[in-house]
């Protein structure tokens, strides 16, 4: 899937404008959840215990969410630096280890 993303970014200008790290993470999350759903079906788990197939988030009904790996961000003086030059002030709910 990552190779397909690389090819799609090459031929699609609007896709290439965004950072690749969050796009790759979305693809990995999708692949993980799909593999879990297919495994549950293969293992013949009862329907109420199965993981559902991944679906689309509706733009107006879901908050945006991303998982950032070590490559996708850095913390510097209490500021969170994300891909594409986005800088946020972080308010922690607890002390980090």
């Amino acid at each position: 899937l990552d190779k397909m993303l690389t090819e799609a970014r090459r031929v699609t200008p609007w896709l290439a404008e965004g950072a690749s790290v969050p796009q790759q993470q979305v693809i990995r999350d999708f692949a993980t959840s799909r593999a879990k759903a297919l495994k549950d079906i293969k293992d013949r788990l009862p329907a109420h215990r199965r993981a559902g197939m991944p679906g689309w988030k509706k733009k107006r009904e879901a908050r945006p969410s991303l998982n950032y790996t070590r490559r996708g961000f850095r913390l510097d003086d209490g500021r969170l630096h994300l891909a594409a030059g986005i800088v946020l002030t972080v308010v922690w709910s607890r002390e980090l280890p």
Side-chain angles (χ1 to χ4, degrees):
L1 290 175
D2 286 341
K3 290 179 183 179
M4 291 173 64
L5 175 64
T6 302
E7 179 61 30
R9 287 176 56 87
R10 188 175 305 125
V11 298
T12 312
W14 65 267
L15 193 59
E17 289 174 5
S20 64
V21 172
Q23 292 172 351
Q24 290 170 343
Q25 188 62 47
V26 168
I27 289 174
R28 287 188 193 111
D29 288 346
F30 172 79
T32 301
S33 62
R34 183 168 168 82
K36 169 75 169 110
L38 292 174
K39 181 183 178 301
D40 288 352
I41 291 170
K42 181 182 174 193
D43 293 345
R44 297 182 179 267
L45 284 178
H48 68 278
R49 288 188 50 213
R50 284 184 197 163
M53 286 296 232
W56 295 100
K57 281 187 176 180
K58 294 183 179 175
K59 183 177 181 179
R60 289 171 185 79
E61 295 178 10
R63 302 182 106 181
S65 63
L66 289 174
N67 298 324
Y68 284 95
T69 60
R70 285 183 180 252
R71 283 186 46 219
F73 71 95
R74 77 178 195 277
L75 287 170
D76 197 20
D77 294 330
R79 312 257 310 161
L80 179 64
H81 296 260
L82 302 175
I86 299 170
V87 181
L88 304 169
T89 301
V90 180
V91 178
W92 300 106
S93 61
R94 60 182 172 86
E95 287 294 319
L96 297 178

